[in-house]
Amino acid sequence: MSSTQPKQLPSRHLTTTSGDFCTSNPPEIRKQLRTYGLIPPVVESYEVQAQRCLKLLAMKTTPIEKYQYLTHLRATNVHLFYRLLSENVKELTPLIYTPTVGEACQRWSEIYTQPEGLYLSWHDRGNLRNILNNWPHDVEITVVTDGSRILGLGDLGINGMGIPVGKLALYIACAGIRPDATLPLTLDLGTNNKAFREDPLYMGSRMPKVTAEQEREFLDELMEALTDRWPGIVIQYEDFKNPFPALERYQNKYTMFNDDVQGTGAVIVGGFINAVKASGVPVKDHRAVFLGAGSAGVGVARQIVEFFMKEGLTEEEARRKFWFVDSNGLVTLDRGDKLAEHKVYFARDDNNGRQYQSLGRLIDFVQPTILMGLSTIGGAFNRDILQKMAALNQRPIIFPLSNPSSKSECTFEEAVRYTDGRALFASGSPFPSLEFAGKTLTPGQGNNMYVFPGIGQGAILSKASIITQDMIYASAESLSTSLNKQEVADGWLYPDIRRIREVSIIVARGVIRAAQKNGVDRATELRDLSDEQLDAYIKEHMYNPFNKRENIGDNVAQLLSTTNGMNGHTNGYVNGFVKNLESAHL
Ligand SMILES: NC(=O)C1=CN([C@@H]2O[C@H](COP(=O)(O)OP(=O)(O)OC[C@H]3O[C@@H](n4cnc5c(N)ncnc54)[C@H](OP(=O)(O)O)[C@@H]3O)[C@@H](O)[C@H]2O)C=CC1
Ligand SMILES: CC(=O)C(=O)O
Ligand SMILES: [Mg+2]
């Protein structure tokens, strides 16, 4: 394969950036795009198109059918898809993200119809840089997984591609990253999922997962290749079974972060700050039991330690507020097994030789104010556990954070019922509001989707050389301040997801300011902007699927805005017809 840059393909060859077949394009535009005659003759408004889409969606009976329909829509009419998603984020996010994306990944090889991202295999090593040339766009951000821990569903190999695709759809809809600036990336490094290896439809390599050492070598090459192909690219690691070595290895060298460790930590701290206020319990008196001591659990606790320290505790005092339970029970130093390195920091040494296997007994012993679930064990917070928490606390903080919904440690309904509606609650996957004692109670969604779009956009716009811990923490603090008066009055822990674009601006601003403070920003001209000016700058640079010129067509309006200097990205073939269009139609 040659290493020279290939001729760029027209964007419609890739599903993430299609959109030429929009029925709102007037005839002149259709002629320019050479789609005249290929679309029914009527020129439609966005409203009519949206009405049809929502009707079609309602006709699909299962979540996976709805997922497939939305995938098709994104492939054939990208701007319409993103406008629809942005306007119906609460209703559509569960269909393109957790929980439905979990089923989509489990069945990816079965339901596959079209390419949606880039796959890099173990046997491609040595050649990764050349393969990246096949991606025909200028990428600003990639989400990469090796599929080894997809949500709480285990090793799904290359079927994990649904996660980068879903996360990047949220980057686009929630923080306004341009669709064609995103790269869903899945590493095919083998899988330990034996059923998949034996499934004739499975589309990845049929070998066991490579060793940790081999994966490290592969990732070293990948990181070099990505940054050589797209200097400044932001790289988000997602759903790796053991993400800590890569995070440690790359975080001071590349513009990268791990969403499960850092994004989750930040989003939970964001809601936790509000939960602690609402609990009425002083920070020094909180005690937290965590079910699950994996990347997310430890990532969350690490960031809460930082919050506790900002509230005046010493690091030692903060660290000792956590009791972790993993598949072998309470994590202690004298348990007799070799603890994974990431667990040692929180391992207890004050258990007097007792090894707690049961969560209930541990709760009796610790008397926690906080119960977090990042264990992948659906239903683990059963009636008994929830009633214990209610008996111990006026406002117990209960966050069942495992995804998808089937893995949630309890439902919202259970948490409300068994705590008499007193729980301060957030879950990883969405649950519906419910009526209780004459009031409507709305659950918080403690999902990293509240922060990763703003972290990514902040890193892109500030041209950050690395993503520092201060930038991650700033995303949490910014999120905690993003609630409006009504949300605060209603006792919400997180803002309404329908305001996610506004929230992402606040998060991105916090991230940019932290990058400036740390001196890792390369867009230093942004330092002179006031907060209002910075918000306006972020907004101006967000991809906007909302077409104000309704009779013209989403894609053309978007292309016009693209030529107006969106991150300097221009598209030659657009400019010609835009000129004609401006004189003919605008
Ligand atoms: N809400 C959100 O935004 C996010 C949610 N998550 C969710 O968190 C969950 C965990 O993710 P992650 O930490 O990366 O996964 P890991 O596989 O790294 O960790 C899972 C942890 O759960 C423990 N565990 C497994 N079975 C049991 C059991 N029976 N009792 C107690 N503990 C058990 C494991 O124990 P052991 O160490 O002994 O194997 C491990 O410590 C997933 O469901 C994921 O979807 C993740 C990121 C973000
Ligand atoms: C939300 C997420 O990142 C996870 O469940 O892994
Ligand atoms: Mg994840």
Side-chain angles (χ1 to χ4, degrees):
M1 210 177 297
S2 144
S3 66
T4 54
Q5 207 78 347
K7 194 168 168 284
Q8 301 279 292
L9 293 170
S11 62
R12 63 179 166 275
H13 284 249
L14 275 168
T15 59
T16 47
T17 52
S18 310
D20 294 346
F21 300 102
C22 185
T23 53
S24 63
N25 286 345
E28 291 72 10
I29 302 306
R30 297 178 188 200
K31 284 175 194 161
Q32 294 281 359
L33 294 172
R34 305 185 72 172
T35 58
Y36 190 92
L38 305 183
I39 320 171
V42 166
V43 176
E44 295 186 314
S45 67
Y46 164 72
E47 281 71 21
V48 170
Q49 297 175 80
Q51 196 186 348
R52 181 181 304 108
C53 293
L54 293 175
K55 250 182 159 173
L56 274 167
L57 201 57
M59 280 160 55
K60 310 287 175 198
T61 49
T62 62
I64 204 71
E65 284 170 359
K66 292 176 198 275
Y67 178 91
Q68 286 178 294
Y69 168 69
L70 289 168
T71 298
H72 169 77
L73 182 63
R74 188 175 56 225
T76 50
N77 202 332
V78 70
H79 305 300
L80 177 59
F81 168 82
Y82 280 112
R83 182 165 174 182
L84 205 65
L85 177 56
S86 302
E87 287 187 352
N88 301 278
V89 71
K90 191 176 164 87
E91 295 75 19
L92 298 190
T93 297
L95 296 172
I96 60 150
Y97 186 53
T98 183
T100 310
V101 72
E103 186 185 351
C105 288
Q106 287 173 306
R107 300 173 57 187
W108 192 257
S109 293
E110 178 195 334
I111 64 174
Y112 177 86
T113 52
Q114 65 207 341
E116 290 187 79
L118 196 67
Y119 298 87
L120 293 172
S121 290
W122 174 240
H123 58 74
D124 295 326
R125 66 194 185 282
N127 206 16
L128 301 185
R129 175 62 183 83
N130 284 331
I131 297 169
L132 295 184
N133 281 342
N134 286 345
W135 192 259
H137 301 294
D138 285 337
V139 174
E140 291 177 341
I141 188 158
T142 183
V143 173
V144 55
T145 187
D146 67 351
S148 57
R149 192 284 282 148
I150 293 297
L151 306 177
L153 301 168
D155 183 345
L156 300 186
I158 63 110
N159 282 19
M161 179 57 106
I163 290 293
V165 168
K167 294 256 172 188
L168 286 163
L170 294 181
Y171 266 110
I172 296 162
C174 304
I177 310 286
R178 286 194 339 270
D180 66 346
T182 65
L183 169 65
L185 179 54
T186 295
L187 308 181
D188 173 32
L189 302 180
T191 175
N192 292 333
N193 187 325
K194 200 161 166 285
F196 278 7
R197 291 206 311 260
E198 289 167 3
D199 178 354
L201 290 185
Y202 181 63
M203 295 182 295
S205 301
R206 284 158 208 285
M207 62 179 198
K209 181 78 195 286
V210 301
T211 64
E213 173 67 15
Q214 287 171 322
E215 179 153 21
R216 185 181 58 70
E217 279 169 30
F218 191 91
L219 292 176
D220 279 355
E221 182 185 341
L222 176 71
M223 297 302 275
E224 284 280 335
L226 283 169
T227 43
D228 183 58
R229 171 78 166 91
W230 297 291
I233 185 174
V234 176
I235 303 166
Q236 173 177 322
Y237 273 57
E238 190 71 47
D239 288 8
F240 281 70
K241 176 67 191 159
N242 183 13
F244 294 103
L247 183 57
E248 205 168 288
R249 193 168 173 83
Y250 304 128
Q251 66 185 346
N252 294 321
K253 187 166 176 202
Y254 297 100
T255 315
M256 67 83 67
F257 71 107
N258 180 288
D259 186 37
D260 297 295
V261 180
Q262 299 172 289
T264 312
V267 81
I268 300 312
V269 166
F272 183 76
I273 292 174
N274 295 325
V276 166
K277 276 188 211 148
S279 73
V281 176
V283 161
K284 67 176 180 34
D285 295 333
H286 277 286
R287 290 174 304 283
V289 166
F290 273 58
L291 189 68
S295 55
V298 169
V300 168
R302 286 257 181 197
Q303 306 239 353
I304 296 179
V305 165
E306 196 171 337
F307 165 65
F308 282 164
M309 287 168 66
K310 282 186 201 280
E311 294 293 307
L313 269 57
T314 64
E315 182 176 350
E316 184 57 11
E317 286 166 342
R319 181 178 73 86
R320 295 186 70 80
K321 293 202 161 293
F322 296 85
W323 284 260
F324 272 91
V325 179
D326 66 11
S327 59
N328 294 316
L330 179 66
V331 177
T332 62
L333 285 179
D334 62 354
R335 199 168 68 174
D337 57 346
K338 180 160 169 29
L339 291 182
E341 217 171 293
H342 68 272
K343 295 180 187 174
V344 173
Y345 180 83
F346 288 109
R348 303 298 306 195
D349 59 4
D350 56 354
N351 51 314
N352 299 323
R354 280 195 70 174
Q355 308 301 335
Y356 290 85
Q357 297 294 336
S358 135
L359 181 61
R361 289 222 188 95
L362 181 68
I363 289 178
D364 292 339
F365 170 64
V366 174
Q367 308 215 328
T369 53
I370 300 158
L371 182 59
M372 296 267 175
L374 290 142
S375 66
T376 75
I377 306 297
F381 298 168
N382 57 27
R383 182 170 67 175
D384 182 44
I385 299 291
L386 293 169
Q387 285 178 338
K388 278 180 195 286
M389 289 300 291
L392 287 166
N393 301 282
Q394 180 54 32
R395 303 293 317 267
I397 297 176
I398 297 176
F399 282 18
L401 297 168
S402 290
N403 296 314
S405 317
S406 60
K407 303 291 179 188
S408 187
E409 286 77 5
C410 65
T411 64
F412 182 47
E413 209 243 319
E414 288 161 344
V416 169
R417 191 180 330 143
Y418 298 127
T419 66
D420 303 319
R422 289 183 281 120
L424 291 160
F425 178 95
S427 54
S429 294
F431 285 110
S433 297
L434 53 81
E435 299 299 315
F436 183 81
K439 278 211 283 203
T440 303
L441 301 182
T442 301
Q445 190 178 354
N447 190 293
N448 46 33
M449 67 170 287
Y450 271 109
V451 291
F452 68 72
I455 295 173
Q457 183 63 286
I460 290 171
L461 292 179
S462 64
K463 300 195 167 80
S465 54
I466 57 168
I467 297 180
T468 62
Q469 178 50 32
D470 285 345
M471 290 162 73
I472 300 291
Y473 194 81
S475 75
E477 274 185 335
S478 304
L479 175 63
S480 76
T481 64
S482 70
L483 285 78
N484 63 26
K485 280 198 181 121
Q486 190 59 50
E487 290 157 355
V488 173
D490 290 344
W492 289 19
L493 304 182
Y494 291 97
D496 193 327
I497 200 69
R498 284 170 288 209
R499 296 198 304 109
I500 187 69
R501 282 174 80 91
E502 284 168 50
V503 171
S504 293
I505 292 174
I506 296 169
V507 171
R509 187 217 307 148
V511 170
I512 293 171
R513 290 295 186 220
Q516 293 170 346
K517 207 172 90 194
N518 291 162
V520 298
D521 58 321
R522 287 173 293 198
T524 47
E525 67 281 7
L526 303 189
R527 293 178 185 183
D528 299 330
L529 301 184
S530 67
D531 281 354
E532 292 70 32
Q533 287 170 327
L534 186 53
D535 284 358
Y537 180 89
I538 297 166
K539 203 166 171 189
E540 201 179 294
H541 286 75
M542 281 166 78
Y543 158 74
N544 183 4
F546 296 80
N547 177 14
K548 298 203 179 66
R549 305 162 216 195
E550 296 193 326
N551 294 324
I552 290 181
D554 294 347
N555 61 334
V556 176
Q558 180 54 39
L559 293 174
L560 278 170
S561 77
T562 303
T563 59
N564 287 341
M566 295 266 288
N567 298 335
H569 182 84
T570 56
N571 184 332
Y573 96 106
V574 172
N575 286 328
F577 80 71
V578 163
K579 271 217 165 76
N580 296 343
L581 174 70
E582 276 171 343
S583 53
H585 295 287
L586 299 185

